[in-house]
Amino acid sequence: MTRMRRLLANLFGGWFQLPRRFPAALLDDMATAVAAGESTHRGEICFAIESRLSPLAVLDGLDAAARAQQVFAQLRVWDTECNSGVLFYVLMAEHRIEIVADRGIAAKVAAGEWDAICAHMRECYARGEWRNGSVAGIAAANVLLQRHFPDGGERHPDELRDRPILL
């Protein structure tokens, strides 16, 4: 997507539809899915949704991948005890989904596995299936985390908030 198209998407795209596409009931369902999954592994999932980027940020070259890295740091997803934080970042205006995994997970899970989750979510979102896409993405991440970071039968603290964050 060219910078001009990105600028137009962020200025006039469907950013204003964030509450309609992610209503409180869906955010509750997503939080429940995150909490249920985290009870079975040592990973931490954080979901952040942003309606759009500022025009100045777009003109400065900020893209969804770089913004996801910023949000990963800002929300301290990297700061979990087991280095097992995962951020789902959705940029509504540009129809972008990024998953950023902390170094403990990145060493064990191939980027292609995260890409497949993003692709499935994008397909669901394109059909207007916001709940299915979001919950399926969280479920798929939970499967990967169960495989690579099983809970080992011990209690671990909930280090990141389960409810999605609207930026």
Side-chain angles (χ1 to χ4, degrees):
M1 185 180 283
T2 67
R3 190 172 293 181
M4 184 54 71
R5 288 187 63 190
R6 290 186 56 237
L7 180 63
L8 292 173
N10 281 279
L11 283 172
F12 304 111
W15 62 268
F16 54 85
Q17 298 175 356
L18 182 64
R20 193 177 86 204
R21 291 185 175 156
F22 287 93
L26 173 52
L27 298 177
D28 291 342
D29 290 346
M30 293 166 68
T32 299
V34 168
E38 287 179 355
S39 71
T40 66
H41 55 71
R42 292 177 295 136
E44 289 287 326
I45 294 175
C46 182
F47 208 108
I49 306 159
E50 191 158 35
S51 60
R52 63 186 177 124
L53 299 176
S54 74
L56 187 56
V58 174
L59 291 173
D60 283 344
L62 184 67
D63 63 9
R67 179 62 178 143
Q69 291 290 336
Q70 287 178 346
V71 172
F72 184 82
Q74 176 186 348
L75 298 178
R76 300 181 64 90
V77 179
W78 57 269
D79 195 19
T80 61
E81 183 177 340
C82 297
N83 299 318
S84 59
V86 174
L87 172 70
F88 281 78
Y89 174 75
V90 177
L91 179 57
M92 300 286 293
E94 296 185 25
H95 307 275
R96 293 289 308 269
I97 302 164
E98 299 286 335
I99 298 177
V100 181
D102 201 355
R103 61 191 174 275
I105 294 172
K108 296 180 179 190
V109 178
E113 293 183 89
W114 298 120
D115 293 342
I117 294 171
C118 290
H120 179 72
M121 290 175 65
R122 250 188 316 277
E123 290 168 8
C124 289
Y125 288 178
R127 293 188 303 264
E129 298 172 3
W130 299 94
R131 182 188 186 290
N132 291 343
S134 300
V135 173
I138 293 167
N142 281 326
V143 168
L144 291 175
L145 291 167
Q146 288 167 354
R147 185 180 324 142
H148 298 289
F149 283 88
D151 73 356
E154 55 190 56
R155 300 276 302 152
H156 56 89
D158 190 7
E159 300 175 81
L160 300 173
R161 69 183 272 181
D162 297 336
R163 186 173 177 83
I165 299 161
L166 305 179
L167 301 171

